[in-house]
Amino acid sequence: MTGRAPLPAAADVVVVGGGVMGVSAAFHLAEAGAQVLVLERDELGSGSTCRAAGGVRAQFSDPVNIALGRRSLAAFENFAARPGGEIDLAQHGYLFLLDDPADVAAFEASVTLQNGLGVPSRMLDVAEAKRLSPLIDIEGLLAAAYSPTDGHCTPEAVVQGYARAARGLGATIRRQCAVTGIDTVDGQIRAVRTDEGTVRTTTVICAAGAWSAAVGAMAGVDLPVRPLRRQILVTEAIPDLPPELPMTIDFGSSFYFHGEGAGLLMGMSDPDEQFGFHLSRTDSWLPRLGAAVSRRAPALTEVGIAHGWAGLYEITPDHNAVVGEAPEVSRFLYATGFSGHGFLQGPAIGEVLRDLVLHRDPVVDVSALDVRRFAEAAVRPEHNCV
């Protein structure tokens, strides 16, 4: 891009990817005194972050995810003070609707685990679930799980807040700058090549989301992350919408909705979707969505659709993230493969990456998320995926 200052000749840390992971890591590292360069080939948050539904929660089945979610929730609550900025946080809770006895048992176990880690989640009967989310039809439901401190916020605002604060602390953030290679010598990083020149560095963080496999390959690191399209719709205004409607998830179908302005944001998974970088909207999933809406929230079948979009999940084989440092390439760190719960863990993962770079004990022990678990057949499946 013409008319711009040249890239710095060197940086302590080069972060590849300008989504929530990249800018959170940049903020926390810059705050700790590191010289940081973030490289984003498009616009900040333009990959997966700003196409997310914006949900934030600590209701997981894996203790590492619970800890990351809880710490991130605390950061979102304090975001206006640090790093600064309004993110429209609405803590109206997450409500998981359960119609399968096996899921009820799994969520009961998860709630016990969550409570032990300081999360105020609880199991509900069907009547209380209906009271919290009046739009639902309770037919077939057995129980629900709920945590009042979960909710949703605006991904774009989170990205811009971290980026603005990181710049204020001396970080360089370069948009529209593609990484083209990572130079290594004898397992040591020497430089990052871009379409605007080469930057000397000894430390790289891969925070490239669905594109992480390609970045890892530049350094000779295998990151088993694949892209999968997910689509979201936003309805027209709905009169008399409950003001504190929780994020409501019909767990059996994966259909979910939460308030968005005067309407609702809604989505669900599509089991027929094929892996790939598909970002165009398609109607192929709408019949399945329509069936789920008719069954669980029939009043919404009469509501018009205002707009929608498609984004990418970054999927790993066990639907749990990979976070750590590559053993074969010194100081190549990665945080990717969050399989749909990356945005909500961004604050805590930024702290973890800071600690790993600075050789500190991380604020959350993420050693179980090391990519080597796949080679060792030590997968960590996350049950509470949407």
Side-chain angles (χ1 to χ4, degrees), residues 52-92:
V56 294
R57 62 179 165 119
Q59 283 189 86
F60 288 98
S61 65
D62 185 307
V64 178
N65 287 333
I66 295 168
L68 291 169
R70 182 170 180 261
R71 190 170 184 92
S72 292
L73 278 172
F76 287 128
E77 290 170 349
N78 192 49
F79 203 91
R82 174 179 176 269
E86 173 56 55
I87 60 172
D88 304 314
L89 177 64
Q91 289 180 285
H92 299 159

Side-chain angles (χ1 to χ4, degrees), residues 178-235:
V179 172
T180 58
I182 299 172
D183 295 336
T184 63
V185 177
D186 297 328
Q188 306 288 321
I189 293 171
R190 292 290 182 261
V192 173
R193 286 178 277 120
T194 80
D195 55 9
E196 294 186 33
T198 298
V199 179
R200 298 190 310 276
T201 190
T202 58
T203 304
V204 169
I205 295 174
C206 175
W211 294 265
S212 293
V215 174
M218 293 177 186
V221 176
D222 181 23
L223 296 175
V225 176
R226 294 194 289 176
L228 186 70
R229 175 170 54 190
R230 291 290 293 267
Q231 299 190 71
I232 286 173
L233 298 176
V234 177
T235 73

Side-chain angles (χ1 to χ4, degrees), residues 59 92-99 104 107-108 111 120-133 136 141-148 246-248:
Q59 283 189 86
H92 299 159
Y94 255 63
L95 178 68
F96 287 91
L97 307 174
L98 309 172
D99 61 5
V104 173
F107 271 84
E108 286 174 342
V111 164
S121 55
R122 64 183 189 271
M123 298 298 295
L124 306 181
D125 61 27
V126 173
E128 191 169 2
K130 174 71 172 180
R131 181 183 63 77
L132 288 170
S133 190
I136 66 171
L141 291 182
L142 301 175
Y146 174 71
S147 183
M247 169 77 98
T248 303

Side-chain angles (χ1 to χ4, degrees), residues 246-270:
M247 169 77 98
T248 303
I249 301 156
D250 184 41
F251 191 70
S253 68
S254 81
F255 162 57
Y256 65 84
F257 59 86
H258 70 64
E260 185 77 2
L264 290 177
L265 178 151
M266 65 173 67
M268 68 181 294
S269 63
D270 180 359

Side-chain angles (χ1 to χ4, degrees), residues 67 141 200 275 300 318:
L141 291 182
R200 298 190 310 276
F275 288 107
L300 298 182
D318 63 2

